Amino acid sequence: MHTRTTDKKTAFLEISLFFLFMLILTVLMRLSELHFPINGFITGILCYLILCAALLFYMLHLKKEPLSSIGLKKICLTDIPKGLLLGFCMFIVQQIPLLLMKFDYSAYAMAPDPGYIFATTLYCLFCVGFAEELIFRGFILHKTLAACPSKILAVSLNILLFYLIHWSAMQFTFGEFYNLTLNVIILCVYFFCSRQKSLAPLIIAHGFYDVLTSVLLPVFVYYRGQ
């Protein structure tokens, strides 16, 4: 009983300290963008790289636990179509209700810039998807479940922390909050229901979904408004 209580306290402390570190690093990166002529992609990559490196170092060298304990497992060939399908379903499920409510997408319109589109696509697929799933559906979700076995509470905390870390980049619209909340719920439910309990399909789904919403949708809105 004492060991279990200690483990819960340790898990809660790990979540709190890592999220605080992530929050401080994110704020510093945002401030650097405001005060120095640094490209947003560079600061984003640096931020995710530092966070992932710190997390992997902590798990492997300090905790001495396998990365599979937080869901990071070797990718299987079937993970790719599963991830792409999941990402597309996330996009459809999230956007159709907004379209039915006649949500105004005009603020997200983006003129097609091949260089920006290419860079953003790579950034979403190989940086954001991997880092955010490793951190939120990997480390934070597993540590939350270790501290409290309630899946509803674990998903709720995941939504809250995911929203807080994106706070500075949000435009505070209903659509953003709706999409972010549903995004986390779908990814968590898929993870809970999967046999392999692997983050690989979630990483692919997250990256592909971000490409659809950050690249294809803004360009589509732009052409639609012409």
Side-chain angles (χ1 to χ4, degrees):
M1 184 66 180
H2 177 71
T3 302
R4 184 177 298 178
T5 303
T6 303
D7 290 342
K8 288 182 178 181
K9 289 181 178 179
T10 301
F12 180 76
L13 183 62
E14 288 173 323
I15 295 171
S16 301
L17 291 178
F18 187 77
F19 185 77
L20 179 61
F21 170 65
M22 180 166 50
L23 196 60
I24 292 173
L25 184 60
T26 302
V27 170
L28 290 176
M29 290 296 179
R30 293 295 180 188
L31 289 175
S32 69
E33 290 179 10
L34 294 174
H35 293 84
F36 301 98
I38 302 175
N39 186 283
F41 283 121
I42 297 176
T43 55
I45 291 171
L46 283 175
C47 184
Y48 283 127
L49 183 62
I50 293 171
L51 288 172
C52 289
L55 179 54
L56 295 176
F57 179 81
Y58 176 75
M59 291 298 300
L60 292 173
H61 298 284
L62 297 182
K63 293 285 288 186
K64 297 188 183 302
E65 294 179 3
L67 296 180
S68 58
S69 65
I70 56 172
L72 190 60
K73 301 177 181 180
K74 184 178 180 181
I75 187 172
C76 298
L77 188 61
T78 55
D79 288 335
I80 298 175
K82 287 179 181 177
L84 293 175
L85 181 60
L86 178 61
F88 181 73
C89 289
M90 287 166 57
F91 179 79
I92 295 299
V93 168
Q94 293 179 19
Q95 299 305 324
I96 285 182
L98 295 179
L99 289 171
L100 293 176
M101 290 186 289
K102 298 182 179 180
F103 180 75
D104 184 11
Y105 285 91
S106 59
Y108 301 95
M110 179 183 71
D113 180 339
Y116 179 82
I117 290 174
F118 180 72
T120 303
T121 299
L122 293 180
Y123 181 65
C124 291
L125 291 175
F126 299 105
C127 187
V128 181
F130 174 80
E132 293 191 353
E133 290 310 306
L134 175 65
I135 294 168
F136 287 94
R137 260 62 67 187
F139 182 76
I140 291 178
L141 183 64
H142 283 76
K143 293 300 178 181
T144 306
L145 290 172
C148 177
S150 171
K151 291 182 179 179
I152 294 177
L153 180 60
V155 174
S156 299
L157 182 62
N158 217 264
I159 292 171
L160 175 62
L161 296 183
F162 199 61
Y163 189 78
L164 288 176
I165 208 64
H166 288 86
W167 187 274
S168 61
M170 301 290 281
Q171 297 183 24
F172 307 106
T173 63
F174 168 77
E176 285 181 327
F177 181 76
Y178 170 81
N179 286 342
L180 188 148
T181 301
L182 199 58
N183 189 330
V184 174
I185 292 174
I186 292 173
L187 290 169
C188 287
V189 169
Y190 181 89
F191 184 80
F192 291 147
C193 295
S194 66
R195 288 184 179 181
Q196 291 78 14
K197 294 294 185 291
S198 171
L199 290 176
L202 277 65
I203 292 170
I204 296 169
H206 191 144
F208 183 52
Y209 168 82
D210 281 357
V211 170
L212 292 175
T213 55
S214 300
V215 178
L216 297 185
L217 181 60
V219 171
F220 172 77
V221 173
Y222 173 81
Y223 278 119
R224 187 180 181 185
Q226 297 300 302

